[in-house]
Amino acid sequence: RIDICNECHPFFTGSEKIVDVAGRVESSRANTNSPDTVLPVRAELTMLTLLPTPIGNLRDISLRALDSFQSADLILCEDTRVTKRLLRLLEKCCGLSWPDSVFLSFNEHNGSKRLRQIEEDLRKKNVVFASDAGMPAISDPGSLLVRYCIEKNIEYDVLPGP
């Protein structure tokens, strides 16, 4: 579960209800001074998620991105050191629990080889690809992942971001 940090996400009032995709309330925060807001929780799907990362300002991270990090079985990164550093900062700032995930590098040097290694994971696990900064699949190895998913009919999702 992710605790919403008012420093990173100051627009939350404290009365949000977290609901699952079926509309059941998972948790709620009570605040009588503001109306209730409903926040959807990402469905537990097995797919690749292309996850944008903040460029210089942690407040640019989205709740969906935090949730995707939390639920990932495998995190692909251009550089695992950069992504782990980001997760440590998000852990301090936003209360993100360190994900129980495997971290693998996926970059222009090893992308083709790595695809052969993770083909089964892409079909059976929640996989996240996080770029070093900004939106994946623009000018980095994320485009190789998307092309591969299209060719192999593997579902993927692209989160909006910076």
Side-chain angles (χ1 to χ4, degrees):
R1 180 64 29 223
I2 298 168
D3 294 323
I4 298 171
C5 167
N6 281 339
E7 185 175 323
C8 292
H9 296 284
F11 48 86
F12 289 103
T13 63
S15 67
E16 292 79 14
K17 291 181 181 175
I18 309 298
V19 297
D20 66 13
V21 293
R24 296 179 301 261
V25 174
E26 287 190 356
S27 68
S28 132
R29 295 177 183 85
N31 180 346
T32 57
N33 295 332
S34 60
D36 286 344
T37 304
V38 176
L39 302 172
V41 173
R42 179 175 176 239
E44 290 300 319
L45 299 175
T46 302
M47 67 168 44
L48 169 67
T49 302
L50 300 170
L51 192 145
T53 56
I55 303 174
N57 189 339
L58 284 179
R59 296 173 82 173
D60 291 336
I61 194 80
S62 73
L63 293 175
R64 285 179 64 198
L66 291 172
D67 188 44
S68 294
F69 271 132
Q70 278 296 147
S71 63
D73 299 309
L74 172 62
I75 298 176
L76 301 174
C77 327
E78 287 183 81
D79 184 336
T80 58
R81 296 167 297 182
V82 171
T83 301
K84 286 179 179 181
R85 186 176 327 120
L86 171 65
L87 289 173
R88 278 193 288 283
L89 291 170
L90 292 171
E91 189 176 36
K92 289 178 186 175
C93 172
C94 301
L96 175 76
S97 298
W98 190 263
D100 186 25
S101 308
V102 174
F103 290 80
L104 293 176
S105 65
F106 187 90
N107 53 50
E108 64 274 1
H109 304 294
N110 70 359
S112 297
K113 178 182 172 188
R114 186 71 76 197
L115 281 173
R116 290 188 297 276
Q117 293 174 337
I118 65 168
E119 181 173 4
E120 213 43 45
D121 291 333
L122 288 170
R123 295 188 184 283
K124 296 183 177 179
K125 295 182 178 179
N126 285 325
V127 180
V128 164
F129 175 67
S131 65
D132 284 350
M135 191 67 204
I138 302 300
S139 62
D140 59 35
S143 59
L144 178 63
L145 265 174
V146 170
R147 189 173 6 181
Y148 183 82
C149 287
I150 291 169
E151 290 171 2
K152 301 290 184 176
N153 200 27
I154 297 171
E155 287 193 53
Y156 65 94
D157 189 18
V158 181
L159 299 185

